[in-house]
Amino acid sequence: MSLLERLNQDMKAAMKNKERENLSVIRMVKASLQNEGYKLGRQELTDDEAITVLSRELKQRKDSYREFKAAGRDDLADKLEFEIALIETYMPRQLTEEELESIVIETISETNASSKADMGKVMSAIMPKVKGKADGGRVNTLVLQHLS
């Protein structure tokens, strides 16, 4: 089942069960996916493109969550925490620290990287492998650890 089909199914269930918060988040996600499709000039997005859009939505909410928490706006932070949790259900399973570290080590050896100067080369090779499955910040930290 494609991501859009799953979203449509969940949207119908949220309507039937009168789950306003779920419905609102699902509609926002669907709108983002449709807007991306319009930008690319087609109806359907590939799974990779959809994951990219979901990752972007998730990152925006996580950034806003941190800012609201820092500003003491717990009411807004709680709303975003709910949205983050719901969006994460549509994301692929996240890699464990061990799995991610294994991919980092493998990619460093594939690219023959030896110093921090090779950081860009390693990151550009590794990010397609972990797209949607690991946060870029985590990947960056691990790559730095192994290159120093």
Side-chain angles (χ1 to χ4, degrees):
M1 173 184 323
S2 77
L3 180 63
L4 196 56
E5 290 169 346
R6 196 168 144 217
L7 283 166
N8 284 329
Q9 207 173 43
D10 291 350
M11 189 168 78
K12 288 176 189 175
M15 283 180 191
K16 284 180 185 176
N17 299 330
K18 298 186 182 353
E19 298 168 336
R20 283 185 170 164
E21 295 85 10
N22 288 8
L23 185 59
S24 172
V25 175
I26 292 170
R27 282 182 173 157
M28 281 190 287
V29 170
K30 276 190 64 176
S32 295
L33 290 170
Q34 288 172 334
N35 287 338
E36 188 71 17
Y38 294 142
K39 270 196 255 178
L40 297 174
R42 46 194 158 134
Q43 291 289 88
E44 287 287 317
L45 296 176
T46 65
D47 284 342
D48 274 350
E49 292 166 339
I51 294 301
T52 301
V53 172
L54 282 179
S55 296
R56 187 179 331 134
E57 291 293 318
L58 203 54
K59 183 178 182 332
Q60 288 172 350
R61 282 170 177 76
K62 285 181 178 179
D63 291 344
S64 297
Y65 174 80
R66 281 191 291 277
E67 289 178 25
F68 287 145
K69 273 296 198 188
R73 294 295 310 266
D74 291 335
D75 55 329
L76 296 173
D78 291 343
K79 182 179 183 288
L80 281 174
E81 193 170 16
F82 172 79
E83 290 180 13
I84 289 168
L86 186 59
I87 293 172
E88 284 177 339
T89 63
Y90 296 102
M91 295 293 289
R93 181 187 71 80
Q94 296 295 295
L95 295 172
T96 64
E97 205 64 33
E98 294 79 29
E99 291 170 325
L100 185 57
E101 190 162 7
S102 155
I103 293 171
V104 167
I105 292 168
E106 178 185 314
T107 306
I108 288 173
S109 68
E110 285 173 3
T111 58
N112 297 320
S114 58
S115 68
K116 288 184 182 180
D118 299 323
M119 180 81 174
K121 182 169 56 169
V122 174
M123 289 299 288
S124 64
I126 201 169
M127 288 313 288
K129 295 178 183 179
V130 298
K131 188 176 201 168
K133 297 177 188 170
D135 179 58
R138 277 178 55 206
V139 174
N140 193 319
T141 304
L142 279 174
V143 171
L144 277 174
Q145 285 174 3
H146 287 281
L147 285 179
S148 46

